[in-house]
Amino acid sequence: MAIDDKLAEDLKTQGVHVTSFESLINWGRSSSLWPLQFGLACCAIEMIAATMAKYDMARFGAEVFRPSPRQADLMLVAGTVTKKMAPQVVRLYNQMAEPKYVIAMGACAISGGPFKDGYNVLKGIDRYIPVDVFIPGCPPRPEALLEGLINLQGIIKKEKLIGKDRARHADPEGYADLPVPEYGAHDLEPPMNPNVWNAPDSNPKGKGDEA
Amino acid sequence: MSIIVEEIAKQIGKELPHLEAGLTYFENPSPSEQHSILVESDNLVEVMTYLRDTSGLEFDFLSNVSGVDWPEGEVAEKITIEKSEGESEEGAEDKEQEEKKPAGGFLEVVYHLYSMARKEGPLVLRARTKDRGVNNAVASVTPVYRSAEFQEREAFDLFGIDFTGHPDLRRILMWDEFEDSPMRKDYVNPDDYEYEPTPHADTLKRAEAHYPQSEAEQVESKDEQAESTD
């Protein structure tokens, strides 16, 4: 049972800081995200800009870009994911240690973007790996990336470590490795991971009736 | 000074008389005036070598190799019939008749040659395969111009043109297991469509396949709206 917020506030005025183990851990995790150092297209340039002096992502504790997935806990999918690249992205995700988080940066990583009709572009990396934060834009400005990062930190701070609705990394039943798609004769096989993503239902008529 | 393609074609025919029958000069009527020479695939290496090594031509740089798909079909050609003098003033404009001719049914490779030494170009050469099926071979010019290597691999990858004599003919953009030729006109996209709120044109057609009922209704309602606004 967490501490009563009001009581904690009262104690704070007396100079006594009370916290729970859970929020301490989550605070630590959210404040030292180590992103995986890889970029796929023009969004990567904005990502680099966000880490440089002007926007300075280090202010939010996410400046240590790691060139190895073993040392990273945040995957920034910055750019167009081609079908040829998708298995490698999933493989990198599998190689990262839990807890791990994914930010899909830019229209391409979210949905295929302007290349959505193309035969060679994956229509959103969320077809294969679970995405925590989507940042729209083509490409998103560095401020948008920072906003997405802060949102992700908010998500991490709310994570439960025990109980029924605990976070994936605290759940021994949480999946270990995601299946890596294989190169098929016409498309990736399978074209999506049904445990992670399913085509959204569409009912345009129903929507129209509501309006 | 610009190059005169017709004269180069004549020069090749004169200097290499055994190839003359395989050369066709194509005039481009558009303002770009990019005339071209169609070369028989078997003669391609010889013609390219001649163009590269002859002084006065010295086309030492192959800038571009591109593929073109010409599916089988009919091409409508406009034929102008000049009016006869006896006709009335109403027929002042020349009559134009359309004549349909069977055309296509082959793959084409287009080469752009430049001369760095003479600062001139491009000279456009073309070569065609016999058909789009089994006889899809064109001679590789990689032995003459090394810069053709990757571009021929790209044309092989996306158009399925088989370059005979290429040292390393593999797919370069798509994965090795891929079987289609995606830049051909009859290529069918993989069906990985996802619903979007405002589908239109081709996207709408594919959406209808995925969401037959709801999408059909939406189209109906849109038509109704259009009628009501009329």
Side-chain angles (χ1 to χ4, degrees):
Chain A
M1 162 96 193
I3 330 141
D4 187 356
D5 285 343
K6 198 161 177 287
L7 179 64
E9 283 298 313
D10 284 349
L11 285 169
K12 211 179 258 181
T13 57
Q14 307 295 318
V16 180
H17 284 265
V18 187
T19 185
S20 67
F21 192 53
E22 190 177 76
S23 47
L24 184 68
I25 284 188
N26 284 343
W27 169 78
R29 273 186 183 143
S30 67
S31 308
S32 66
L33 284 165
W34 288 14
L36 181 58
Q37 185 179 18
F38 83 110
L40 296 171
C42 32
C43 280
I45 306 296
E46 299 295 309
M47 181 181 76
I48 295 161
T51 63
M52 290 296 146
K54 188 165 181 183
Y55 298 100
D56 198 13
M57 210 151 90
R59 292 177 292 160
F60 307 99
E63 81 279 24
V64 195
F65 274 77
R66 298 273 94 175
S68 161
R70 306 287 184 200
Q71 300 168 345
D73 50 15
L74 168 63
M75 179 185 249
L76 278 161
V77 186
T80 319
V81 187
T82 58
K83 284 176 182 170
K84 203 175 180 181
M85 183 55 95
Q88 277 68 263
V89 176
V90 179
R91 200 168 282 129
L92 282 172
Y93 180 81
N94 283 342
Q95 289 172 352
M96 286 163 65
E98 289 276 13
K100 51 189 170 186
Y101 308 95
V102 178
I103 290 180
M105 181 184 179
C108 295
I110 293 172
S111 69
F115 314 110
K116 196 184 169 87
D117 283 336
Y119 55 88
N120 58 335
V121 174
L122 189 70
K123 281 126 196 96
I125 191 60
D126 55 339
R127 291 190 175 213
Y128 290 114
I129 59 178
V131 177
D132 297 287
V133 176
F134 296 88
I135 307 174
C138 189
R141 285 191 56 85
E143 292 96 326
L145 178 57
L146 295 178
E147 167 86 12
L149 183 74
I150 292 163
N151 276 337
L152 179 65
Q153 289 176 332
I155 291 169
I156 296 171
K157 278 175 184 160
K158 281 183 197 141
E159 269 181 355
K160 297 265 183 298
L161 298 182
I162 47 170
K164 215 174 176 184
D165 51 349
R166 61 193 154 181
R168 186 188 66 236
H169 58 80
D171 185 359
E173 308 256 301
Y175 49 77
D177 274 7
L178 293 172
V180 178
E182 299 202 347
Y183 295 130
H186 309 286
D187 197 1
L188 289 174
E189 288 176 12
M192 49 136 172
N193 182 352
N195 295 328
V196 175
W197 184 87
N198 274 299
D201 288 335
S202 109
N203 190 5
K205 180 104 182 185
K207 273 183 194 168
D209 291 340
E210 281 169 27
Chain B
M1 193 192 124
S2 62
I3 51 170
I4 299 161
V5 181
E6 195 169 9
E7 284 186 3
I8 293 173
K10 276 180 187 161
Q11 187 184 341
I12 300 169
K14 209 170 158 191
E15 299 284 323
L16 307 167
H18 58 289
L19 302 185
E20 198 179 358
L23 293 176
T24 320
Y25 170 67
F26 273 96
E27 199 162 287
N28 184 342
S30 78
S32 69
E33 292 186 331
Q34 287 220 327
H35 312 310
S36 56
I37 307 171
L38 179 68
V39 185
E40 283 283 314
S41 162
D42 298 338
N43 307 338
L44 204 56
V45 172
E46 208 175 329
V47 169
M48 291 273 191
T49 315
Y50 175 78
L51 288 171
R52 186 191 61 183
D53 295 340
T54 311
S55 69
L57 293 174
E58 290 165 279
F59 286 98
D60 47 13
F61 175 47
L62 175 65
S63 151
N64 199 27
V65 179
S66 25
V68 185
D69 183 20
W70 295 98
E72 264 176 75
E74 285 182 329
V75 169
E77 280 190 6
K78 278 186 180 169
I79 297 168
T80 315
I81 301 167
E82 288 177 29
K83 58 148 192 164
S84 55
E85 285 178 16
E87 279 183 60
S88 63
E89 285 294 308
E90 284 170 21
E93 286 178 22
D94 292 345
K95 279 182 189 171
E96 279 191 346
Q97 274 191 353
E98 278 198 347
E99 192 174 300
K100 285 190 174 172
K101 285 181 177 176
F106 51 81
L107 299 161
E108 193 174 81
V109 192
V110 183
Y111 305 88
H112 284 72
L113 295 176
Y114 284 81
S115 171
M116 289 286 156
R118 295 163 56 232
K119 297 194 172 95
E120 270 171 16
L123 173 66
V124 186
L125 296 186
R126 310 202 278 187
R128 286 172 181 174
T129 64
K130 285 201 180 69
D131 58 49
R132 298 167 78 245
V134 189
N135 302 314
N136 58 345
V138 166
S140 168
V141 297
T142 309
V144 190
Y145 296 103
R146 191 67 204 277
S147 61
E149 186 180 343
F150 275 19
Q151 303 201 48
E152 286 183 344
R153 275 179 68 184
E154 191 182 334
F156 166 74
D157 190 352
L158 303 181
F159 287 94
I161 301 166
D162 188 9
F163 289 93
T164 47
H166 191 284
D168 182 26
L169 197 62
R170 290 178 290 132
R171 286 188 182 273
I172 190 168
L173 295 172
M174 302 304 284
W175 51 90
D176 290 338
E177 292 86 350
F178 196 70
E179 284 175 6
D180 304 335
S181 302
M183 292 289 274
R184 286 200 193 183
K185 306 254 187 200
D186 51 4
Y187 171 70
V188 182
N189 273 325
D191 191 16
D192 54 356
Y193 174 75
E194 177 193 333
Y195 173 78
E196 58 181 67
T198 55
H200 55 277
D202 291 350
T203 322
L204 177 62
K205 272 182 203 161
R206 278 190 283 167
E208 279 170 356
H210 276 256
Y211 307 94
Q213 209 179 348
S214 52
E215 289 300 332
E217 283 170 11
Q218 191 190 30
V219 175
E220 261 179 39
S221 62
K222 269 186 183 170
D223 289 348
E224 282 165 19
Q225 280 173 8
E227 280 170 21
S228 61
T229 47
D230 289 344

